[in-house]
Amino acid sequence: MADLRELYQSVILDHSRSPRNSGPLAEATASGSGHNPMCGDAVVVQVRMDGDTIADVRFTTPPGVGCAVSKASASMMTNAVRGKSRDEADALFARFQRMVTGGPADDVGHLAVFAGVAQFPVRVKCATLAWHALRAALHTP
Ligand code: ZN
């Protein structure tokens, strides 16, 4: 398992150093934000909806703000939900949240790299921050 854990850490490090889908989204139709005072993380998630489908999604963090886990989670979240429906994204978030709070890593795809977060309760907010911001964006009237 040690090798697997190292692989998982390298994926998280890669996404935190080279975040995917970082920066403002042109023609965003909704946005949501999150702040984690425990760690200092802050994120804004913007979505462009096409009916009920997430046509595009990007995130921004203020310069110098955000720990590796929060940035990697935002990066991988955006990859994971693009093209999904609102309901699919909500369901994926539910599975992700269950996993990082100690539940099974069922049907979460690459997001399984965050399963180890369950061992560090203070990091759960870092890992879920972008997801909470996404949910706010998806459920803004
Ligand atoms: Zn953090």
Side-chain angles (χ1 to χ4, degrees):
M1 281 303 285
D3 288 349
L4 202 54
R5 267 201 303 272
E6 280 173 27
L7 170 68
Y8 285 178
Q9 286 178 359
S10 77
V11 172
I12 290 175
L13 274 179
D14 175 49
H15 275 268
S16 69
R17 287 172 179 157
S18 311
R20 282 41 152 202
N21 312 308
S22 172
L25 173 62
E27 298 174 358
T29 56
S31 70
S33 61
H35 178 226
N36 175 13
M38 298 269 288
C39 183
D41 307 319
V43 67
V44 174
V45 171
Q46 293 178 292
V47 295
R48 181 162 51 80
M49 300 302 290
D50 178 7
D52 214 32
T53 300
I54 302 168
D56 205 356
V57 52
R58 295 180 69 80
F59 77 97
T60 51
T61 52
V65 167
C67 67
V69 171
S70 70
K71 282 186 189 170
S73 179
S75 174
M76 294 185 70
M77 178 277 287
T78 50
N79 273 352
V81 303
R82 180 180 290 110
K84 285 191 162 47
S85 72
R86 186 182 277 113
D87 287 351
E88 287 168 342
D90 284 344
L92 183 57
F93 178 32
R95 294 196 296 274
F96 181 78
Q97 191 157 39
R98 200 157 56 222
M99 176 186 74
V100 297
T101 51
D106 286 341
D107 204 12
V108 293
H110 292 123
L111 300 174
V113 296
F114 289 98
V117 166
Q119 295 166 37
F120 306 94
V122 72
R123 290 291 186 186
V124 171
K125 281 196 173 180
C126 303
T128 56
L129 187 67
W131 287 92
H132 284 291
L134 171 73
R135 188 160 66 178
L138 292 180
H139 296 280
T140 299

